[in-house]
Amino acid sequence: MASDPGSRNHWYGIWYRHPVDLSAAGLFLFLLGAHGWIEDLKKMCSCDPPPEAPVEEPKVSIDWKNVLIKRDEFLKLVAAVSAGFIGLVIAIPCIGFAFEYFLVPRRQDWIKVGPLESYEVGKTVDVVFTDTTGTPWDGVSAKRSAWLRRVDESNFKAFAVNCTHLGCPVRWEPGAELFLCPCHGGVYYGDGKVAGGPPPRPLHQYATRIANGHVEIKVGPVLAEG
Ligand code: FES
């Protein structure tokens, strides 16, 4: 029996005769629709990562806080160097004095003060000499003087000119046979002993000797005498 093309049996016959073709065409249409539907879904979806924010270039700026700290450190360094320099200026002379006072041996020299025959027995005169026990840069301060008394033919006594009170130079008074200090009225006998006034001890006395027809006195650092 022939099927009617307008009837229901007609389409059923076509499907029955071409099932693979019709299934492939249906699958194609389904995939086509699915693809469009997925694209629409993608556009609607907000799962895409947000666009990256533009990276800002780092700005060049001055850290004034750190600048202030560095300046403070600089000032501290300057203060430390200055303090060290001042300390050295003060310390070097002290160290030099201590070194010379405690470590350098105290020199003493015999110094000629004149020929023997130039001094009269019983007379006290002042003699000037150069102290060779000092330093090369003493200059004119190396010039010293002393009172020299010829006691007899072969004995002399020599006294420092400085008063033992505060160091003023004493003068010899031949009439009174006394040493007088002009500062505070200190008085010494002809042998250097204290006769009156504030001096606490006798005049410093140098050792003397006669060598090769010359009178010599022994000079060196004058130490405090008790
Ligand atoms: Fe000579 Fe004072 S310094 S009595």
Side-chain angles (χ1 to χ4, degrees), residues 163-168 170 181-188 197-199:
C163 178
T164 57
H165 180 217
L166 293 179
C168 290
V170 298
C181 179
C183 291
H184 310 102
V187 182
Y188 302 86

XYZ file of all heavy atoms in Angstrom, residues 163-168 170 181-188 197-199, ligand 1:
126
model
N 113.218 83.264 95.823
C 112.709 83.119 97.185
C 111.913 81.820 97.284
O 111.189 81.437 96.358
C 111.816 84.315 97.514
S 111.064 84.252 99.150
N 112.034 81.161 98.411
C 111.309 79.894 98.583
C 109.854 80.087 98.983
O 109.116 79.110 99.132
C 112.004 79.027 99.650
O 112.079 79.769 100.866
C 113.406 78.622 99.211
N 109.436 81.349 99.109
C 108.014 81.583 99.385
C 107.223 81.476 98.078
O 106.539 80.486 97.842
C 107.816 82.961 100.051
C 106.394 83.257 100.354
N 105.865 84.518 100.231
C 105.372 82.462 100.777
C 104.582 84.480 100.552
N 104.271 83.248 100.901
N 107.351 82.474 97.200
C 106.627 82.439 95.924
C 107.535 82.688 94.740
O 107.048 82.957 93.643
C 105.482 83.455 95.940
C 104.340 83.135 96.916
C 103.283 84.221 96.872
C 103.725 81.774 96.636
N 108.832 82.622 94.944
C 109.747 82.639 93.805
C 110.277 83.981 93.370
O 110.969 84.058 92.346
N 109.986 85.065 94.068
C 110.543 86.358 93.661
C 112.073 86.321 93.783
O 112.618 85.627 94.651
C 110.003 87.464 94.560
S 108.248 87.797 94.294
N 115.533 87.303 95.041
C 116.041 87.992 96.247
C 117.287 88.789 95.859
O 117.959 88.473 94.877
C 116.363 86.990 97.374
C 115.108 86.246 97.801
C 117.448 86.004 96.921
N 113.940 89.722 100.208
C 112.946 89.469 99.147
C 112.020 90.682 99.061
O 111.407 91.068 100.072
C 112.139 88.209 99.456
S 110.881 87.894 98.188
N 111.886 91.279 97.880
C 111.075 92.503 97.751
C 109.569 92.247 97.758
O 108.797 93.191 97.885
C 111.526 93.059 96.402
C 111.916 91.853 95.610
C 112.483 90.884 96.593
N 109.157 91.026 97.601
C 107.717 90.767 97.433
C 106.954 90.811 98.752
O 105.972 91.541 98.899
C 107.510 89.431 96.732
S 108.054 89.449 94.999
N 107.378 90.004 99.719
C 106.612 89.933 100.977
C 107.515 90.090 102.192
O 107.142 89.685 103.298
C 105.862 88.593 101.061
C 105.077 88.290 99.837
N 105.502 87.398 98.883
C 103.906 88.804 99.386
C 104.613 87.338 97.897
N 103.643 88.185 98.183
N 108.696 90.642 101.960
C 109.573 90.942 103.100
C 110.337 89.748 103.631
O 110.796 89.756 104.786
N 110.502 88.741 102.836
C 111.282 87.589 103.294
C 112.752 87.961 103.462
O 113.304 88.722 102.664
N 113.397 87.424 104.545
C 114.794 87.753 104.842
C 115.570 86.456 105.065
O 115.087 85.533 105.743
C 114.900 88.638 106.106
C 116.365 89.006 106.375
C 114.067 89.900 105.959
N 116.782 86.407 104.479
C 117.644 85.225 104.634
C 119.018 85.705 105.122
O 119.490 86.791 104.738
C 117.834 84.498 103.305
C 116.555 84.017 102.634
C 115.831 84.865 101.816
C 116.118 82.711 102.785
C 114.692 84.429 101.176
C 114.979 82.264 102.145
C 114.260 83.131 101.341
O 113.123 82.693 100.699
N 110.121 86.521 107.995
C 109.151 86.621 106.909
C 108.542 85.274 106.539
O 108.745 84.267 107.233
N 107.800 85.274 105.449
C 107.032 84.068 105.085
C 107.817 82.922 104.455
O 107.237 81.836 104.317
C 106.010 84.611 104.091
C 106.635 85.830 103.500
C 107.504 86.427 104.568
N 109.052 83.078 104.003
C 109.702 81.912 103.344
C 109.685 80.680 104.239
O 110.071 80.746 105.413
C 111.137 82.404 103.085
C 111.014 83.881 102.984
C 109.950 84.249 103.983
Fe 109.720 86.198 98.886
Fe 107.118 86.076 99.341
S 108.140 85.731 97.515
S 108.705 86.552 100.709
